């Protein structure tokens, strides 16, 4: 089934200066000295669209006046489009601040039209924009419903009924002829469509008929789909100087929404993200503060990235106020296919474990969350090193570090940081109770290039049936009376 979502941004001229989450400002946007948009506080003061600057200033003298910025509006619309690519790769930018999404192939993936519309609305809220959302079987029909805030129509019959009630002024080709149309009593799209086609074409041109035919599915529509760039870099200018790092999370979420859309469109998963906190520019400019997050498991979901950034921003101390944010994805890889296992793994999946490590790293710091890395050394205390979990260790590299001849005796789960000297009682090592040797010896001689070690290791059992890992230090003499016993590890 072919189905389209139309998304109109009615407050885009205002929200490029004042997003919906900061609508507590009294902001007025002007174009040619006339009001085109205003915030809720300015509207409460009596400011209306079309009013001159002087009248708005008299009603709301505390207002912040901004000149309409088409370039900023185009950049904001492109940012919204990038975020919506996570729902469909077929997205086109239409006239008058409207986006068209072909979602016919996405309905089953996102759980139906209602669930998908809720996701799109939540994404728009995270971006800080107000949107009028519509659905229709044709792209131009979705555009008309979105421009008129006329809701959803999932069948062609319902679409025709809704469009017939819309005002004719919604069609751009009809606007130069509105006076003539009103003079003959033609106020809606339904009345316009019932006019004789040859006469309407001679009077208003072919473009008006083509747009009506597109909306009713009587003509093939051509679209230029938005193409995601080869690399990702998104910037956001803040609306005030921010001195608290935690207050930057809303802006960072806006950038992460764009990143999620870009990853979905390019079929990538991100391994590392970099958030740049930009400070003052000009003569007092300083280098940006860099927040670098390395992921143990590549991801393309924004919820996990938001949690990681929240933890990092909570710990960040700002040296100077922040006036802008920039998000980069310097390290990506192709998106991995979903697991083909029938049953979930006990204790959670590998991805759940990796996300826990990433969250702990963001909260405690990479220097405090460590993993074991093998070393090419026979000495037990030198055979392992603790490195940050952000350091990638390939299984092949780990195997290459293992000695070529693996020992026959098992290794204990708990290796003591420093061996404990043991007492001797009745010619047996003693640790709480006399220890009984349970295995043959394993001789380790290594470290000739530094601290030479010559030891014989044994498994031993105490009277409480606990198992220990002991070694006897060889002295190099023929007599073994002076050899000392040490406890080096405990078995589970």
């Amino acid at each position: 089934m072919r189905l389209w979502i139309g998304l109109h941004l009615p407050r885009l001229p205002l929200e490029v200066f004042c997003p919906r989450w900061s609508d507590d400002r009294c902001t007025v946007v002007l174009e040619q000295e006339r009001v085109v948009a205003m915030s809720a506080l300015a509207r409460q003061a009596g400011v209306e669209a079309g009013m001159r600057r002087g009248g708005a200033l008299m009603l709301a003298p505390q207002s912040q006046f901004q000149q309409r910025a088409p370039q900023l509006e185009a950049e904001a619309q492109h940012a919204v489009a990038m975020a919506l690519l996570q729902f469909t790769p077929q997205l086109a930018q239409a006239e008058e601040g409207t986006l068209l999404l072909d979602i016919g192939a996405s309905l089953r993936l996102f759980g139906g039209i209602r669930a998908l519309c809720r996701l799109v609305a939540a994404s728009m809220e995270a971006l800080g924009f107000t949107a009028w959302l519509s659905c229709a079987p044709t792209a131009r029909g979705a555009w008309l419903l979105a421009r008129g805030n006329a809701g959803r129509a999932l069948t062609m019959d319902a679409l025709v009924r809704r469009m017939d009630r819309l005002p004719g002024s919604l069609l751009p080709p009809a606007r130069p002829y509105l006076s003539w149309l009103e003079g003959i009593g033609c106020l809606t799209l339904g009345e316009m469509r019932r006019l004789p086609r040859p006469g309407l074409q001679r009077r208003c041109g072919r473009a008006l008929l083509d747009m009506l035919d597109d909306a009713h599915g009587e003509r093939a529509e051509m679209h230029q789909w938005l193409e995601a760039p080869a690399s990702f870099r998104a910037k956001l200018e803040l609306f005030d100087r921010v001195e608290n790092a935690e207050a930057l999370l809303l802006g960072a979420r806006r950038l992460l929404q764009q990143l999620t859309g870009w990853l979905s469109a390019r079929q990538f998963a991100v391994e590392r993200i970099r958030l740049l906190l930009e400070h003052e520019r000009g003569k007092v400019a300083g280098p940006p503060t860099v927040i670098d997050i390395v992921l143990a498991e590549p991801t393309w979901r924004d919820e996990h990235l938001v949690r990681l950034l929240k933890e990092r921003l909570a710990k960040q101390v700002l040296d100077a106020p922040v006036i802008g944010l920039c998000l980069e994805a310097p390290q990506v890889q192709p998106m991995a296919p979903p697991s083909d296992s029938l049953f979930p793994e006990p204790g959670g999946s590998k991805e759940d474990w990796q996300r826990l490590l990433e969250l702990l790293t963001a909260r405690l710091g990479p220097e405090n969350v460590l993993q074991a890395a093998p070393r090419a050394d026979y000495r037990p205390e030198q055979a392992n090193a603790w490195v940050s979990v952000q350091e990638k260790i390939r299984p092949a590299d780990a195997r290459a570090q293992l000695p070529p001849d693996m020992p026959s005796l098992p290794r204990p789960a708990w290796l003591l940081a420093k061996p404990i000297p043991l007492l001797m009682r009745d010619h047996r090592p003693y640790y709480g109770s006399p220890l009984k040797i349970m295995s043959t010896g394993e001789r380790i001689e290594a470290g000739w290039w530094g601290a030479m070690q010559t030891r014989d290791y044994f498994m031993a059992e105490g009277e409480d049936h606990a198992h220990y890992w002991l070694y006897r230090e060889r002295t190099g003499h023929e007599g073994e009376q002076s050899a000392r016993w040490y406890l080096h590890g405990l078995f589970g």
Side-chain angles (χ1 to χ4, degrees):
M1 180 180 67
R2 200 75 183 268
L3 197 62
W4 295 79
I5 282 183
L7 205 67
H8 177 56
L9 307 173
R11 304 184 66 197
L12 188 60
L14 171 68
E15 289 174 338
V16 297
F17 301 105
C18 179
R20 61 183 300 176
W21 60 62
S22 61
D23 205 17
D24 55 347
R25 298 169 179 266
C26 192
T27 306
V28 178
V29 181
L30 303 174
E31 185 177 22
Q32 297 180 355
E33 294 301 308
R34 288 189 179 273
V35 176
V36 294
M38 76 292 296
S39 65
L41 289 180
R43 187 182 298 108
Q44 292 174 6
V47 180
E48 298 179 356
M51 186 177 291
R52 291 188 176 273
R53 178 191 181 101
L57 184 61
M58 181 180 63
L59 292 173
Q62 75 280 11
S63 296
Q64 297 180 359
F65 289 89
Q66 303 283 355
Q67 291 296 325
R68 188 171 186 178
Q71 179 65 28
L72 293 180
E73 294 178 26
E75 293 175 359
Q77 186 176 355
H78 180 76
V80 172
M82 287 290 296
L84 295 180
L85 284 174
Q86 61 186 298
F87 303 114
T88 175
Q90 295 183 320
L91 185 149
Q93 293 182 328
E95 307 92 336
E96 301 180 352
T98 306
L99 299 171
L100 297 175
L101 293 79
D102 186 354
I103 58 167
S106 304
L107 292 177
R108 185 175 180 182
L109 176 63
F110 291 97
I113 184 61
R114 293 184 178 180
L116 182 54
C117 288
R118 285 195 296 268
L119 290 173
V120 172
S123 180
M124 296 302 301
E125 184 175 359
L127 289 168
F129 292 103
T130 301
W132 291 348
L133 192 146
S134 70
C135 294
T138 65
R140 184 56 66 179
W143 183 87
L144 284 169
L145 295 184
R147 288 285 291 110
N149 195 18
R152 298 194 293 259
L154 304 185
T155 64
M156 185 57 68
D157 292 339
L159 174 61
V160 171
R161 288 194 299 270
R162 287 182 180 272
M163 286 194 303
D164 285 349
R165 297 193 295 266
L166 294 177
S169 59
L170 289 179
L171 292 177
R175 291 169 190 166
Y177 311 100
L178 287 180
S179 299
W180 174 74
L181 291 169
E182 291 175 1
I184 63 173
C186 182
L187 303 179
T188 64
L189 294 180
E191 295 169 344
M192 189 182 302
R193 184 171 170 77
R194 286 191 289 270
L195 292 176
R197 288 177 64 91
L200 185 61
Q201 179 176 347
R202 286 195 301 269
R203 184 76 186 203
C204 302
R206 183 65 191 178
L208 178 59
L209 291 178
D210 288 344
M211 195 167 286
L212 284 172
D213 292 342
D214 291 343
H216 289 79
E218 298 175 358
R219 205 172 76 103
E221 299 181 83
M222 301 295 293
H223 301 281
Q224 184 175 359
W225 306 119
L226 179 69
E227 185 176 353
S231 60
F232 180 81
R233 179 183 173 89
K235 299 187 67 175
L236 176 65
E237 296 289 334
L238 300 181
F239 304 96
D240 201 353
R241 288 174 172 80
V242 178
E243 298 182 357
N244 182 9
E246 290 187 77
L248 301 172
L249 186 60
L250 282 176
R253 284 192 65 192
R254 183 170 173 176
L255 298 178
L256 287 174
Q257 284 282 322
Q258 300 178 48
L259 174 62
T260 303
W262 179 81
L263 291 173
S264 299
R266 302 291 298 187
Q267 290 294 290
F268 282 154
V270 65
E271 294 182 308
R272 182 162 64 95
I273 61 173
R274 182 186 299 128
L275 182 65
L276 306 178
L277 312 182
E278 299 179 352
H279 305 294
E280 296 288 347
R281 301 187 180 94
K283 295 182 179 179
V284 295
T289 301
V290 180
I291 297 179
D292 211 350
I293 296 181
V294 180
L295 301 171
E297 187 74 15
T299 184
W300 58 92
R301 304 297 184 189
D302 62 327
E303 298 90 350
H304 182 55
L305 296 175
V306 168
R307 287 196 295 268
L308 296 180
L309 273 180
K310 182 178 180 181
E311 295 293 341
R312 290 294 298 274
L313 288 173
K315 295 171 49 181
Q316 188 69 38
V317 178
L318 299 179
D319 298 329
V322 178
I323 62 173
L325 301 175
C326 179
L327 183 65
E328 299 175 347
Q331 190 172 342
V332 295
Q333 69 176 32
M335 189 182 296
S339 174
D340 56 357
S341 59
L342 179 60
F343 299 103
E345 298 182 13
S349 64
K350 178 183 177 182
E351 290 77 12
D352 296 333
W353 170 248
Q354 296 293 352
R355 289 174 184 173
L356 173 61
L357 291 180
E358 291 165 1
L359 189 60
L360 290 175
T361 302
R363 181 172 299 179
L364 305 175
E367 68 279 359
N368 295 319
V369 184
L370 307 177
Q371 63 177 333
R375 286 180 176 176
D377 201 313
Y378 285 101
R379 295 171 293 178
E381 57 266 41
Q382 302 295 331
N384 177 72
W386 292 100
V387 299
S388 172
V389 293
Q390 292 185 347
E391 184 175 332
K392 296 298 180 71
I393 302 176
R394 297 190 307 166
D397 295 338
R399 288 193 298 268
Q401 291 293 326
L402 296 175
D405 298 323
M406 293 301 296
S408 57
L409 292 182
R411 292 288 187 262
W414 183 5
L415 188 70
L416 301 179
K418 185 177 180 181
I420 301 175
L422 298 179
L423 300 175
M424 299 294 294
R425 292 187 181 180
D426 298 330
H427 306 287
R428 294 171 64 182
Y430 185 90
Y431 185 73
S433 64
L435 301 181
K436 179 182 179 181
I437 302 300
M438 302 295 295
S439 70
T440 58
E442 176 189 349
R443 180 161 294 178
I444 295 179
E445 293 183 355
W448 56 264
W449 55 89
M452 181 66 179
Q453 293 180 358
T454 306
R455 300 170 177 174
D456 292 331
Y457 279 87
F458 302 87
M459 288 181 61
E461 182 181 5
E463 292 182 355
D464 56 354
H465 301 291
H467 287 76
Y468 305 90
W469 202 43
L470 315 180
Y471 72 82
R472 183 174 59 185
E473 193 175 48
R474 298 176 60 206
T475 61
H477 303 288
E478 294 297 331
E480 297 292 339
Q481 290 79 7
S482 60
R484 294 289 306 271
W485 287 85
Y486 293 85
L487 173 65
H488 203 179
L490 305 173
F491 287 92

